[in-house]
Amino acid sequence: MEHEVFVPVTVERLREALGDPVRVARAVPGLQQDAGADPVAGRLKVRVGSHSITYRGAVRVTGRDDGSYAVEGDATETRGTGSVTLALTLRLRDTEAGTTLTFDGTATADGRVTELPQDAVGSAVVRLLNRFAEALGETEEEREQPEVQPETPEAVETPEPEEPPAPPVDDFTEPAIPPAEAAHARRTMIGRSAEEVDHAPPRGRYAPVPAPQTVAAGATLRWAAPAAAVVLASAIVVTRVLRKRR
């Protein structure tokens, strides 16, 4: 593979970053460093198209006598048996208003990445190299500087339209069209006095439910006893009259 990236910084500044393993580790996008391990070692999630693969491994950057750098790395899948081996040569070329970084070398892999489309894998590798080169040229101040939010024009307060006054509502104690029960009650109350109409019980739907009538046994016996006594006395009188006639 071969790829070039332009960075608007000087060659000296990039060489200082490549000679510091801590700054190299910070330049790897998305690297989660392992505690107590080498600076450029840990977990890295690589997104290929709509898929993502997480690797655990390490990368080593070594300077050569000719001014180039050897970039070697190896990693294995955290959820699988696939692995990746990287062997690249990094060269810096001074250009106008910056530096051109050239990546040249090979990369071998097996596992899940081999099942994905090659063009998607190539795009993921190019994106990773671009972000790595751009991060190498950033200083600590630039990395920690917060993003400036674009200014938005102040909102102009617009007066809300006045709502038209609500139409007057007539307060009637009776509806305009009485229900059927009310109309029937009014028809049946024609000719009655005002006092009878005011105290007349409601009818129809609003009529009260009468309580169930209960008849006590003592009241029945109280009325039945005198009647039985009268019948018995009458029978005695009739009997005496018939005896006298005989």
Side-chain angles (χ1 to χ4, degrees):
M1 59 171 296
E2 184 176 353
H3 181 63
E4 290 187 352
V5 183
F6 173 77
V7 182
V9 296
T10 61
V11 174
E12 291 76 11
R13 183 172 170 179
L14 290 178
R15 290 191 183 278
E16 292 178 0
L18 290 172
D20 187 356
V22 176
R23 296 181 62 178
V24 172
R26 293 177 180 175
V28 179
L31 176 64
Q32 298 179 1
Q33 295 177 263
D34 291 337
D38 295 337
V40 196
R43 296 160 56 95
L44 178 65
K45 179 182 290 187
V46 180
R47 188 170 185 83
V48 181
S50 59
H51 303 270
S52 60
I53 307 174
T54 303
Y55 292 95
R56 180 185 295 275
V59 175
R60 296 165 296 278
V61 179
T62 307
R64 296 175 178 174
D65 296 338
D66 59 354
S68 62
Y69 295 86
V71 181
E72 299 175 345
D74 54 85
T76 58
E77 297 178 5
T78 58
R79 296 183 179 180
T81 58
S83 61
V84 175
T85 303
L86 184 67
L88 299 179
T89 299
L90 174 60
R91 295 182 176 86
L92 307 179
R93 186 174 72 252
D94 189 6
T95 57
E96 184 179 357
T99 305
T100 300
L101 285 75
T102 303
F103 297 91
D104 185 11
T106 59
T108 58
D110 57 9
R112 293 179 55 191
V113 71
T114 59
E115 302 174 358
L116 303 177
Q118 294 300 318
D119 54 347
V121 175
S123 300
V125 173
V126 169
R127 183 171 61 253
L128 183 63
L129 294 178
N130 290 341
R131 296 179 59 186
F132 172 73
E134 295 172 357
L136 278 177
E138 294 180 355
T139 61
E140 295 296 330
E141 293 76 8
E142 293 175 348
R143 185 177 294 107
E144 296 177 359
Q145 184 178 3
E147 297 182 0
V148 179
Q149 299 294 336
E151 297 183 358
T152 56
E154 296 182 358
V156 179
E157 296 183 359
T158 56
E160 298 182 358
E162 297 182 357
E163 298 182 357
V169 179
D170 295 334
D171 185 12
F172 295 105
T173 57
E174 295 183 1
I177 302 176
E181 294 84 358
H184 175 73
R186 295 179 66 178
R187 286 196 302 268
T188 55
M189 291 182 182
I190 296 176
R192 300 184 183 181
S193 63
E195 184 178 0
E196 292 177 346
V197 172
D198 293 340
H199 297 281
R203 300 183 180 181
R205 185 186 305 173
Y206 305 100
V209 179
Q213 298 180 357
T214 58
V215 180
T220 304
L221 295 177
R222 186 168 60 252
W223 290 100
V230 173
V231 173
L232 181 58
S234 301
I236 294 174
V237 172
V238 173
T239 304
R240 290 180 179 177
V241 172
L242 293 177
R243 286 179 179 179
K244 289 179 179 181
R245 290 181 179 180
R246 291 178 182 177

